[in-house]
Amino acid sequence: GVALHYSHKTNFIFDYQPMLNNFRYLPAILEKAYHPMIQAQLRPDVILPMADLEPYKMIFSPFLAALDEPRGIEGKEGLRKRLRAWIKAGGTWIVGPLADVRTMAGVKFTHSPYGSLEEWAGVYCKYEIPGDPHEFGIRWNDGRESEGSVWYDGLELRGAEALATYTNGPLAGLAAVTKCTLGKGQIIMLGTMPQPEDLKALLLSIAKEAGVTPVADASENLVVIPREGSGIKGLVAIEVENRPATLTLPSPMTDLLTGKSRKGKVEVPAYGVMVLKA
């Protein structure tokens, strides 16, 4: 039920039109978005902008510079139009930072820093500041204090609610992360990229609201992949960081690699692999 947007067009835009120092789109997607998602046991499909949105309840679009990539060779139904319809029908869109900031020709919009985000997300972007060499503090609504990263949009609320607010510098008091309803759905706008632990907490909270369930109750260094077919259902678990991990099984299972029965909280050794059949 969850997807992560990746765009070759955006990759080209950032390669040939750098917007901040030392930023590379693909490493940023992996480090700042994909890894926190899988560590939170949210197993996203990585989709291109022309992909069908209907299978998904929640879509994360970080650093997606241009929203008008067409679907199909006819050049019809650009992502912007399909996203709006999908959100209004009940989808949850997590977007930013550095999203919707260029046309398909790689130029800035003249009416706003974004093509549609101010209108859709109920915000007004007062300031934009690149993250290198400065970082700015943020305070979440539950009182946690942290820092953003990469990019900083200072957002005034024009119908949205703030989930996190800047605490210092020229952005102090402005919103860093916002939430707004659009039709039956909602938009969570990231004015800055949260730290990994903050992003994981945010994604899990929003996923719960959207009806998206983590694939497993497991350590963040354990990749757990559900598998089902030919009347068989189970999990494949792989430890990927060379340190011990745990996995809590939803029901008793058999490890097909060893023949042993497993139940409850299972310990997985460093680089361990388990193929579990329910």
Side-chain angles (χ1 to χ4, degrees):
V2 60
L4 174 71
H5 266 134
Y6 172 85
S7 165
H8 297 296
K9 178 70 175 183
T10 286
N11 195 30
F12 294 146
I13 289 175
F14 281 117
D15 274 353
Y16 292 100
Q17 189 183 136
M19 300 177 201
L20 66 165
N21 292 336
N22 303 313
F23 180 80
R24 294 293 181 268
Y25 175 65
L26 179 55
I29 283 276
L30 289 171
E31 177 188 350
K32 301 289 187 179
Y34 183 72
H35 288 167
M37 291 184 85
I38 63 171
Q39 288 169 355
Q41 301 301 335
L42 297 169
R43 193 71 59 236
D45 288 352
V46 179
I47 62 173
L48 296 174
M50 61 284 297
D52 186 10
L53 308 179
E54 294 307 314
Y56 305 107
K57 298 178 181 178
M58 184 173 89
I59 297 175
F60 186 16
S61 305
F63 316 122
L64 188 59
L67 292 190
D68 291 302
E69 293 196 49
R71 185 180 185 191
I73 59 175
E74 301 86 358
K76 298 178 180 178
E77 294 186 323
L79 177 61
R80 187 184 308 275
K81 180 179 178 180
R82 294 187 297 113
L83 264 173
R84 183 178 177 86
W86 175 80
I87 297 165
K88 294 188 76 172
T92 293
W93 189 35
I94 304 171
V95 57
L98 284 171
D100 192 24
V101 293
R102 293 293 187 272
T103 70
M104 288 296 288
V107 300
K108 293 183 178 182
F109 296 97
T110 58
H111 67 284
S112 166
Y114 324 106
S116 299
L117 276 182
E118 283 188 323
E119 175 192 352
W120 291 7
V123 299
Y124 171 76
C125 183
K126 188 171 184 179
Y127 298 118
E128 293 182 300
I129 303 177
D132 185 2
H134 301 291
E135 305 291 352
F136 297 99
I138 58 175
R139 180 182 295 111
W140 296 86
N141 285 353
D142 62 5
R144 287 178 297 120
E145 294 202 7
S146 185
E147 286 186 338
S149 68
V150 181
W151 186 264
Y152 296 87
D153 283 342
L155 305 173
E156 290 185 346
L157 303 179
R158 301 288 173 87
E161 63 175 297
L163 301 182
T165 305
Y166 293 110
T167 59
N168 65 312
L171 302 173
L174 295 172
V177 180
T178 64
K179 178 179 178 180
C180 183
T181 59
L182 181 65
K184 297 179 181 178
Q186 61 180 348
I187 297 173
I188 289 79
M189 182 173 174
L190 306 181
T192 184
M193 181 57 76
Q195 297 298 318
E197 291 303 315
D198 296 324
L199 181 61
K200 282 184 274 188
L202 176 65
L203 290 172
L204 286 171
S205 173
I206 299 302
K208 185 176 181 180
E209 293 180 15
V212 174
T213 305
V215 297
D217 180 1
S219 302
E220 66 177 26
N221 55 312
L222 196 67
V223 176
V224 183
I225 307 103
R227 284 290 182 263
E228 184 174 356
S230 302
I232 300 174
K233 188 175 183 179
L235 302 169
V236 179
I238 307 168
E239 199 288 311
V240 295
E241 296 182 8
N242 193 24
R243 55 191 177 96
T246 60
L247 168 64
T248 301
L249 300 178
S251 62
M253 294 185 171
T254 300
D255 186 348
L256 298 181
L257 299 181
T258 65
K260 293 182 179 180
S261 296
R262 304 283 189 176
K263 64 179 181 179
K265 192 172 186 178
V266 177
E267 294 185 356
V268 183
Y271 289 149
V273 178
M274 304 178 76
V275 181
L276 300 161
K277 175 186 174 184

